[in-house]
Amino acid sequence: ENLATWIAEDVADELPEESATHLSTLQERVRRLEGFLDELLQYSRAGRTDEKSEDFGTAALLQSVHDVVAPPAGFTVAFPDDNLDLTTPRLPLEQVLLNLVSNAIKHHDRPEGRIEVRVMPIGNRVEFRVIDDGAGIAPEYQVRVFRMFHRLKTRNPADGSGVGLALVKKLVERYGGHVEIESKGRGCTFRFTWPRTWIGTDGVASVGLDACGEST
């Protein structure tokens, strides 16, 4: 990427239009490859270590997700007003929500859209739902999207590596949860569960691990 940038800086005004296009394509593909390798590293590291639990509320967590995603013009990301207190590793949960909200925007088939995140307690767990009003996902693809390198059509063909949802599934299952898709026609809902309290795989959480038992 540095070499391509230097060439562009040195001879940008002298390059034929076709060569300038080739150089721009080279830079774009290098950036995509860098992002792809970063996502592969995230996937390979997910669940290798037992993250430390933190005390935090869902309101602050979702506000952080909103700030990082920074929805583009035309898109609204709505969160609930109520707050649930959690004692669980924050970083992997935030990563899951970031991936799902970002994907809802990235794969939307219109320049405008609404994404809503809902949170509700279910026994010793919390259920999160990420709901969009996009094109939806056909039943035959609802299992495949969680496989490595499987990509759906995006608003920008250069977006996506097919790793993000595989990482979501791995992280959710690492913490004893389950993720699934609901989609019939337009719109899509990603639903997953997360422990309200997590001690770790070295012990059994007094709150947070239900019939799933220890996470693997």
Side-chain angles (χ1 to χ4, degrees):
E1 183 176 18
N2 285 338
L3 288 170
T5 300
W6 294 338
I7 293 172
E9 291 174 350
D10 291 343
V11 296
D13 296 335
E14 303 171 25
L15 284 176
E17 183 177 350
E18 185 176 8
S19 297
T21 300
H22 291 334
L23 186 59
S24 177
T25 301
L26 171 62
Q27 291 173 298
E28 167 78 21
R29 291 181 178 176
V30 168
R31 285 190 290 270
R32 284 185 60 192
L33 179 58
E34 183 178 23
F36 175 68
L37 291 175
D38 285 343
E39 290 190 9
L40 277 179
L41 281 173
Q42 288 183 28
Y43 183 85
S44 68
R45 291 168 178 165
R48 278 188 171 185
T49 59
D50 194 15
E51 299 279 352
K52 292 183 179 180
S53 291
E54 303 177 41
D55 295 324
F56 60 92
T58 55
L61 173 71
L62 294 175
Q63 183 60 53
S64 176
V65 169
H66 184 278
D67 293 344
V68 173
V69 171
F75 282 87
T76 300
V77 179
F79 297 127
D81 294 328
D82 53 338
N83 179 68
L84 291 177
D85 292 324
L86 304 178
T87 302
T88 184
R90 175 169 174 152
L91 184 60
L93 176 56
E94 190 164 355
Q95 183 68 60
V96 168
L97 289 165
L98 279 170
N99 281 15
L100 291 178
V101 173
S102 296
N103 271 8
I105 296 173
K106 185 189 307 179
H107 294 281
H108 207 287
D109 62 335
R110 296 174 179 173
E112 298 179 348
R114 174 182 171 85
I115 294 88
E116 181 181 357
V117 180
R118 297 179 184 173
V119 185
M120 63 191 74
I122 301 180
N124 295 332
R125 294 183 173 275
V126 178
E127 180 183 272
F128 291 87
R129 297 188 183 191
V130 179
I131 306 164
D132 68 63
D133 58 356
I137 300 177
E140 61 268 27
Y141 293 111
Q142 291 180 15
V143 174
R144 294 189 219 172
V145 294
F146 292 109
R147 297 174 185 169
M148 289 284 284
F149 312 128
H150 185 88
R151 294 180 59 195
L152 293 175
K153 184 178 179 181
T154 64
R155 294 190 301 127
N156 180 354
D159 284 340
S161 62
V163 177
L165 289 179
L167 177 61
V168 164
K169 185 174 186 293
K170 185 175 182 180
L171 286 172
V172 169
E173 293 181 351
R174 164 72 177 82
Y175 290 93
H178 176 69
V179 58
E180 60 186 11
I181 299 172
E182 295 177 0
S183 183
K184 297 179 181 179
R186 285 202 66 82
C188 182
T189 298
F190 280 86
R191 182 172 64 187
F192 71 94
T193 56
W194 198 269
R196 295 194 70 171
T197 299
W198 174 263
I199 291 177
T201 52
D202 292 336
V204 178
S206 58
V207 179
L209 288 180
D210 50 23
C212 293
E214 284 192 347
S215 176
T216 58

